[in-house]
């Protein structure tokens, strides 16, 4: 009986010890559950695809233009014949050619052109050619043109006075005489006054008036030759 009590007491004590040990044992830490994995990307999400640029019609290829050929160098300017210096012999030859052309053409307008081309040649032979043409010409209108061309010739007053003295004679056409009277006044040569005074009593009143006008023009001009 005593033995049973002892065994019971030992067992009770062991049970209490075990219970005490269990109560002193730290509670077991339960680990936190791992975080849930990130949800998979929704398959319905639109993929970020760059928007294609708007379609433009293709540009047609440009045909390459052939290179322009190089321009040749411009020739050096050449002075016109009238601006080139000519020798006295060349000028004399030009006068002869113009005089020859005058005789070889019957056309009135062409002859007028030749007269004024001739009077522009700066040669001592020019006025001699004009004198010959005047003496040989029979057309009154061309004789007037020849007398008028004397004003385009510089100097040569002695020869001018000789031609104009012939042109104012009574046997010349009236228009030729009037042109010659005006020409004497344009010479600015006082010697022309004496020539004009010979016509002071001309029977034609228009001639007398023209003479008086030219004399007054020469008397009022102090630049003429005495």
């Amino acid at each position: 009986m005593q033995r049973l009590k002892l065994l019971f007491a030992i067992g009770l004590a062991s049970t209490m010890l075990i219970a005490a040990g269990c109560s002193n044992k730290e509670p077991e830490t339960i680990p936190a559950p791992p975080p849930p994995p990130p949800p998979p990307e929704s398959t319905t999400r639109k993929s970020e695809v760059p928007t294609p640029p708007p379609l433009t019609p293709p540009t047609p290829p440009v045909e390459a233009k052939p290179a322009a050929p190089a321009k040749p160098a411009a020739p050096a300017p050449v002075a016109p014949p009238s601006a080139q210096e000519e020798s006295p012999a060349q000028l004399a030859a030009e006068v002869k050619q113009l005089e020859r052309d005058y005789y070889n053409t019957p056309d009135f307008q062409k002859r007028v052109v030749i007269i004024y081309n001739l009077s522009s040649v700066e040669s001592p032979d020019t006025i001699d050619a004009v004198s010959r043409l005047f003496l040989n010409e029979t057309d009154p209108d061309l004789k007037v043109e020849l007398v008028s061309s004397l004003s385009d010739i510089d100097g040569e007053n002695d020869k001018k006075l000789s031609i104009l003295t012939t042109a104012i004679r009574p046997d010349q056409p009236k228009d030729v005489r009037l042109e010659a009277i005006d020409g004497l006044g344009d010479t600015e040569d006082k010697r022309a006054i004496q020539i004009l005074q010979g016509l002071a009593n001309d029977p034609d009143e228009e001639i007398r008036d023209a003479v008086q006008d030219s004399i007054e023009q020469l008397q009022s001009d102090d630049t003429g030759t005495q």
Side-chain angles (χ1 to χ4, degrees):
M1 192 62 165
Q2 287 291 348
R3 188 176 181 178
L4 289 174
K5 290 182 180 180
L6 181 60
L7 289 174
F8 178 77
I10 292 171
L12 182 58
S14 298
T15 301
M16 292 177 66
L17 289 172
I18 292 171
C22 292
S23 60
N24 293 331
K25 187 178 180 180
E26 295 180 358
E28 185 177 354
T29 304
I30 299 174
E41 294 184 2
S42 175
T43 56
T44 60
R45 182 180 180 183
K46 295 181 181 180
S47 58
E48 297 180 359
V49 180
T51 304
L55 295 178
T56 55
T59 303
V62 179
E63 295 182 1
K65 295 182 180 179
K71 294 183 179 179
V78 179
S82 59
Q84 295 176 346
E85 293 185 2
E86 295 179 294
S87 66
Q90 290 174 318
L91 293 172
E94 186 177 351
V95 169
K96 288 183 179 180
Q97 183 60 52
L98 289 169
E99 187 176 1
R100 191 179 302 116
D101 292 342
Y102 184 91
Y103 288 123
N104 290 336
T105 178
D107 185 81
F108 177 86
Q109 293 297 335
K110 289 182 179 179
R111 282 190 166 189
V112 172
V113 172
I114 291 172
I115 289 171
Y116 286 96
N117 285 341
L118 176 62
S119 64
S120 66
V121 180
E122 296 180 359
S123 170
D125 297 331
T126 297
I127 195 165
D128 293 331
V130 172
S131 177
R132 288 190 295 269
L133 293 176
F134 177 81
L135 293 175
N136 293 321
E137 186 55 67
T138 58
D139 188 320
D141 292 332
L142 288 172
K143 291 173 80 73
V144 169
E145 297 293 343
L146 286 163
V147 172
S148 176
S149 71
L150 293 174
S151 61
D152 296 328
I153 300 174
D154 294 332
E156 302 289 354
N157 272 8
D158 290 344
K159 293 181 179 181
K160 284 182 181 180
L161 292 176
S162 176
I163 297 170
L164 293 170
T165 300
T166 302
I168 63 172
R169 292 187 316 195
D171 61 341
Q172 294 292 331
K174 181 178 178 178
D175 288 343
V176 176
R177 297 180 74 195
L178 289 172
E179 187 68 31
I181 291 170
D182 290 342
L184 286 167
D186 291 338
T187 61
E188 300 179 352
D189 192 319
K190 295 299 178 68
R191 292 177 295 176
I193 295 176
Q194 185 177 356
I195 298 172
L196 289 167
Q197 286 173 342
L199 298 176
N201 297 319
D202 193 272
D204 191 312
E205 182 180 0
E206 190 174 356
I207 294 293
R208 294 197 304 269
D209 290 342
V211 166
Q212 185 62 34
D213 289 342
S214 291
I215 290 175
E216 291 177 358
Q217 177 182 346
L218 290 166
Q219 288 175 339
S220 63
D221 183 6
D222 295 332
T223 62
T225 302
Q226 299 292 335

